[in-house]
Amino acid sequence: MEAVLSILVGLFFTAGIYLMLSKAIVRILLGVVVFGNAVNLLIFTAGRIMREVPPVMSLDMTQLTGDTANPLPQALILTAIVISFSFFSFLLVLTFRTYQEVGTDDTVKLRVAEPEGKILPPMGY
């Protein structure tokens, strides 16, 4: 199971980087979301995937016995999902406002906001 999820993580990273290299801001945002999901899936895969009992103890137990699922990666992923969703929502609103003001989501055409008469950074290498 870990091998399949590792390949899926690699595909997510590849798709996320490909989308982030685009000129359209909406594709860049989708690339950031896919990249964040790849990181979450990587943490989940690294935290051992088990179908054993959940890490719940009764009142009379002082220590867990046997194999149990690791709750730390699951808690980290849940927190990361909430943070990434709020970050994506903020960036989506920022992109929408930029589109309303400038009329495009192309990053090359957004260079009109830079001052004229000054040397601009290179467009590519």
Side-chain angles (χ1 to χ4, degrees), residues 26-99:
V26 175
R27 285 187 182 179
I28 294 171
L29 287 180
L30 291 176
V32 168
V33 169
V34 171
F35 196 82
N37 287 335
V39 170
N40 291 340
L41 192 58
L42 177 68
I43 294 171
F44 182 70
T45 305
R48 292 183 321 206
I49 300 168
M50 303 184 77
R51 292 186 179 189
E52 303 299 325
V53 296
V56 178
M57 297 183 351
S58 63
L59 293 175
D60 59 343
M61 294 177 66
T62 58
Q63 186 176 359
L64 288 172
T65 58
D67 290 336
T68 59
N70 190 358
L72 183 62
Q74 297 172 12
L76 289 174
I77 292 169
L78 184 61
T79 305
I81 289 171
V82 171
I83 292 170
S84 66
F85 180 73
S86 62
F87 182 64
F88 174 69
S89 300
F90 171 73
L91 289 179
L92 193 62
V93 169
L94 191 64
T95 301
F96 181 68
R97 288 292 298 145
T98 303
Y99 181 76

Side-chain angles (χ1 to χ4, degrees), residues 113-124:
E114 296 178 5
E116 291 190 26
K118 294 197 176 198
I119 299 174
L120 297 176
M123 295 290 288

